[in-house]
Structures are given as C-alpha cells and as structure tokens.
Amino acid sequence: MTHPLHTPLLIGAGNRWRRDDGVGAWLVERLGVRLGTAVETRLLSGEGAGLIDAWQGHATVWLFDAAAPSGRPGRVTRIAAHAQPVPAELCHHSTHRFGVGEAIEMARVLGQLPERLELVAVEGLDFGEGEGLSEVLERAAEMQLDELEALLRGAV
Amino acid sequence: MSRRTIAVDTLARVEGEGALDLVIRGDRVEKADFRIFEPPRFFEAFLRGRDFREAPDITARICGICPVAYLMGACHAMESICGVNVDGGLRELRRLLYCGEWIESHVLHMFMLHLPDFLGYEDSIAMAKEHGELVQRGLRMKKIGNALMTLTGGREIHPVNVKVGGFYRLPEKSELAAFVDDLAWGLEAAEQTVADLAKLDFPEFEHDYHFLALRHPDEYAITEGRLVSNKGVDVSIPEYDDILTEHHVAHSNSLQSEFLDGERAHLGPLARLAINSDRLTPRALKAAESVGLVGGSKNPFRSLLARAVETVFAFEESLRIVESWQRPDAPAVDVTPRAGTGSGCTEAPRGLCYHRYSLDDEGLITDAKIVAPTSVNQRIIESDLMHVAQANLDLDDEALKWRCEQAIRNYDPCISCSAHFLKLTIDRG
C-alpha cells in the first residue's frame, strides 16, 4: 500500500454551481474515476488558507482551476508552480479573498509548497449561475483527460 | 503655485472597484471624493416578487467575505414580519456562525490586507518573507473561522445552511465539541496578536466621531439590540430609517448614507468598542484594557487593534458556545408568511448591515431595502481622507498616497457590497 503522503493529491478548485468555474471539479472527478486509489481527490472553493492546509504533507499535488476569461475560452495553461511563479491574474478569486495565486506564492515564501505542484488552469467562458460547463469548455476539458491521465500515471 | 498630480491606477487590498480623487490647492485639501464606479447591482430590485424564503440565499451573494451579515439580516427581517422568534440552541448556533465570519474576516483584514501598511510592505506575501511566523499564525486562525462557517453554514463562502426560522441541518454536538482545542489555541493566538500589534507605530490622528452600533442588554451585540451611538442616539432597529438616510452623489455608484442631519456615522469595530466595551467577554475585555481600547479610540488607525480585540472576543464566545450548546430537537421553527413590513440589522465585521422588507399575504416580497456598512462608512472615509491628507501635506507624493490608502483600509471597505479598486488621484494644483 502506498503511503498517503506519496499519493498524488488532485484538488479541484472552484464552484460547480457557477458553470465554468466548476471545471476544476469536473476534471478531478473524472480523473479520480480513471485513476482510482492511485490518487486522492478533493474539491475546494479555492480559498487560499484552505488550499495551503489541504496540500500539507503531500509531495505531489495537481491543482485544477478555472482561469478568468481573456477571449480564448478552453485554453489550458499548465504551470509547474513549484518552480515558477503564478501570475496572480490567472486564477483571480476576489480582491478581498485570499485566492489560488496568492496561496501558492504565500506558501512558496513560507516554505509550504509541495515538492511538486502542477497548476492546470482552463480559461472559462460562462461564470453565470447554474450547473454544467459551457459547451466549448466541456469539449476542451474532455480533450485534456487522456493526456492528464497519462501524466498522472507517470507521477504515481 | 506648484501643481502636482499623483495617480495610482489601482488601490489594492480593498474589495471592489472605485477610485479616490484628492484635490489639493496650495496648503489646503479642497476635496476628497471616494468615487465608486463599480456598477450598481440592483439586489433590491430583483428581490421584489420573490418568495420571502429566498431572501437569505439571494442576499448572501452580495458579499463573499461577509455573507452571514446578509443571511442574518434577511432572516431577522422575515422572522420579524412573520412573528417568529428564533432562540435557544438555534440562536446560539447562528451566533457561532457569525463568530466564524468575524474571525475569518477580521484575520484576513488584519494579517493580509492592513498589517503590510504598518510594517511597510507592498503586500502580505512580501511581508511573509520576514514575518513568516506571524503570517502562519494568521492563516491558522483564519482556517478555524472558515471551518466554523463550514460546520454551521454548510460551506465557508456563501453559506447555504441558514433559512428563515433556523437552519436546514443541525450539526451534532460532537461536531461542535471537536472545535474546543482549535478555539482554545485561537483564543491564545488572538491575545498574542493583540500584544504584537500594540507594538506598531500608529499614525497620530484623532477625530470626534459619531459612533453607531448595536447594543444588547446582556451580550456584545452581533445580531440583536438597539441602535445606540456615543452622542445620544438610542432607537430600535425598526426606527433605523428615522435616523439614517441614503442619497445619491454624482461621483459614486453606491448610495451614501448619513444621519438625517447630515452628520457622518462611523460603523465597525471602533464603534462597537465605543458603545459596548462593558459587554466584552472577560478575556476580550482584558485584551482591550491592555491596549487602552476600553471605550474605543478616536484614532481610526487603531481599528487594526480593535479588530484584534474583537477576534479575541469571537474566539472566546465561540468556545463558550461549543462547550455549552444544547442541540435543539428541530433545525428550524415553522414560519407562516403574513403581510407586513419588518427589518433586521446585524453587525457585519465592518459595521451595521440593515435590511427592511415588505411582504404581501402570500409571502412575496413587495419592497426591499439593504444598506451595507460601507455605504455609511463612505462618508467618514472621505472625511478622514480630507483630514489625513491635510495633516500630511509635507509628505512626498508616494508617502502621502501610502498614508491615504492606509486610512481607507482602516474601514476594511467592501465596495462590492456598497455598489457595489480603487484608483487614487492626488491633484496638487
């Protein structure tokens, strides 16, 4: 049995009841089914303090989040966040909140980043109320699943 | 006469989008406009025609940092109209939820938003490089506040477990008891925070404010009480509209609120301490005494310390509740709609949050009015900026800008709530 701390942790950040903001949860749920006990999964709001707490003790963390719209819905950005800074605007949460970007940079300063933290951000289109991704985003996310599964199997 | 103009594209570490225009002529500050250009959000308009039970969840969406203030204001107003009193274990659980919000909001503001001003850092991440232990303490305290909100409210942002009449689901007593160790730690951490923050240099500035807060006969008021000021106001919540009025100003999309006679009201932690120091819990009172905040302070920069004292209170009160809570038999009392008008007013972390609704006999909302605390504090922010800028004209432009931003953050303004970034322009023509 693999020690839990060495099991990759997949975190889906966002709100699944705000359409494309739920793309992180959408991906994590499907990857969790494909990879079974080889990974741990958690769905979180994206609140920074909760994120830092969630990844404590995990050597490898994959964090999936929606990125703010900039005219290219479905565009996927992958950042090896353990090795390079995250642009704050990529996963903007709120001016009054402590969000994903701030959490990663704060954890870096505090020495609380996992050895490997992969951030996968998918640019959203529709952040209105309701469940389900927009068509363009679901298609884009679906296209990522095989590659992400392969990458994660390599990490397991 | 020399002319200097300073423009800051965005003032960070406040919620929402707005701007500040300072006009300085010679050695006199002529104008300080706190300009909120974030569009109006029309919550009051789209509440009309909705069922009264929808108001808490809809209004909670006004703010991601103080949703409980909106949940509670709406619930209390509806319960008032329908003749329902929520007490006992349900009332205690609501108070615990509100303490969770105070903890997470106050800690976020103190450690992440305001403290960098006092220590001279651009933001909390830069501050953490040299004050890592302090920041880690703040993160742990905030996490406890978030967890309290998740337990009682269903989730930490926009809780979904509160309803008119009570809750949808009650936690088990054991779930509350599991918080005892964390809350005991948080209480000591908050006391240490008061001691640490007291060592800061606070800018010298005082003003004779008209503080307004809820006052309760038996407890440090959060969800109930009378509207009491340090200058003689003492009215019931339904009389709110008899003392405060709202009006539109050309430079802001947020309505501004003030006393009927035009005097500016000051809401929030300094107001609460001015009105309610004698209602503080024992360790919170001791903390207030240790930093000279019993009875409040006329120096708005000391609001940072006031938030720390209230964080001590919130942990202490939470600990009392989780240790003594008796689980009610039912998660809510039955509520039958009836026609009428009612109001609710609670203490959001940044001050009074007022709701007033009218219902028809089927429970549909026919009228709604919501006043966020920043709507009221806007006027006092403008006044403070006039005085702070005037007293610091000898500072260079960057230093003056810094001091003005720090002064704005004294009020932890939630611009999204009131209109709902701030661009700072200093014109020294």
Side-chain angles (χ1 to χ4, degrees), chain A residues 17-18 45 47 49 52-53 93-98 102 105-106 109-110 112, chain B residues 14-16 64 108 113 124 128-129 136 139 142-143 146 156-157 350 412 421:
Chain A
W17 290 282
R18 293 301 292 266
S45 68
E47 191 279 322
I52 294 175
D53 186 58
H93 193 101
S94 156
T95 51
H96 214 164
R97 279 275 170 190
F98 182 55
E102 294 94 334
E105 295 313 314
M106 180 65 83
V109 169
L110 297 175
Q112 294 184 356
Chain B
V14 298
E15 165 66 21
L108 174 78
L113 306 178
S124 60
K129 290 175 184 168
Q136 293 197 53
L139 287 173
K142 185 177 187 311
K143 182 188 146 203
N146 287 353
E156 66 208 12
I157 303 170
R350 47 202 58 70
D412 189 12
F421 260 20

Side-chain angles (χ1 to χ4, degrees), chain A:
Chain A
M1 182 179 169
T2 311
H3 190 282
L5 296 184
H6 293 290
T7 303
L9 172 66
L10 314 188
I11 299 174
N15 183 346
R16 69 169 83 201
W17 290 282
R18 293 301 292 266
R19 304 297 310 269
D20 292 348
D21 198 35
V23 68
W26 192 97
L27 284 165
V28 165
E29 283 177 342
R30 280 152 186 79
L31 289 167
V33 169
R34 288 182 178 211
L35 294 161
T37 57
V39 295
E40 271 185 48
T41 62
R42 289 194 66 177
L43 305 182
L44 297 171
S45 68
E47 191 279 322
L51 285 172
I52 294 175
D53 186 58
W55 66 52
Q56 291 301 309
H58 288 272
T60 301
V61 176
W62 285 66
L63 175 57
F64 300 86
D65 194 11
S70 67
R72 293 179 62 184
R75 179 176 58 172
V76 178
T77 304
R78 196 177 134 211
I79 295 174
H82 55 281
Q84 65 185 93
V86 177
E89 66 276 11
L90 187 66
C91 299
H92 184 68
H93 193 101
S94 156
T95 51
H96 214 164
R97 279 275 170 190
F98 182 55
V100 172
E102 294 94 334
I104 292 172
E105 295 313 314
M106 180 65 83
R108 192 188 315 281
V109 169
L110 297 175
Q112 294 184 356
L113 273 185
E115 286 173 32
R116 182 180 180 191
L117 175 61
E118 299 283 350
L119 173 63
V120 179
V122 186
E123 183 177 323
L125 174 69
D126 177 5
F127 290 85
E129 288 183 19
E131 289 185 82
L133 305 180
S134 63
E135 196 177 324
V136 63
L137 211 75
E138 184 161 348
R139 202 164 49 239
E142 188 79 49
M143 288 171 65
Q144 293 297 314
L145 281 173
D146 288 345
E147 184 184 347
L148 288 169
E149 181 186 350
L151 285 167
L152 281 159
R153 287 199 184 283
V156 170

Side-chain angles (χ1 to χ4, degrees), chain B residues 309-358:
Chain B
V309 169
E310 285 197 333
T311 305
V312 174
F313 157 76
F315 273 111
E316 191 175 10
E317 183 69 347
S318 298
L319 194 55
R320 179 192 68 75
I321 293 170
V322 302
E323 288 179 330
S324 63
W325 190 63
Q326 296 299 314
R327 192 174 192 270
D329 292 333
V333 296
D334 291 333
V335 182
T336 304
R338 65 187 190 193
T341 296
S343 50
C345 190
T346 67
E347 287 283 358
R350 47 202 58 70
L352 291 169
C353 181
Y354 172 72
H355 294 235
R356 188 197 68 212
Y357 301 96
S358 295

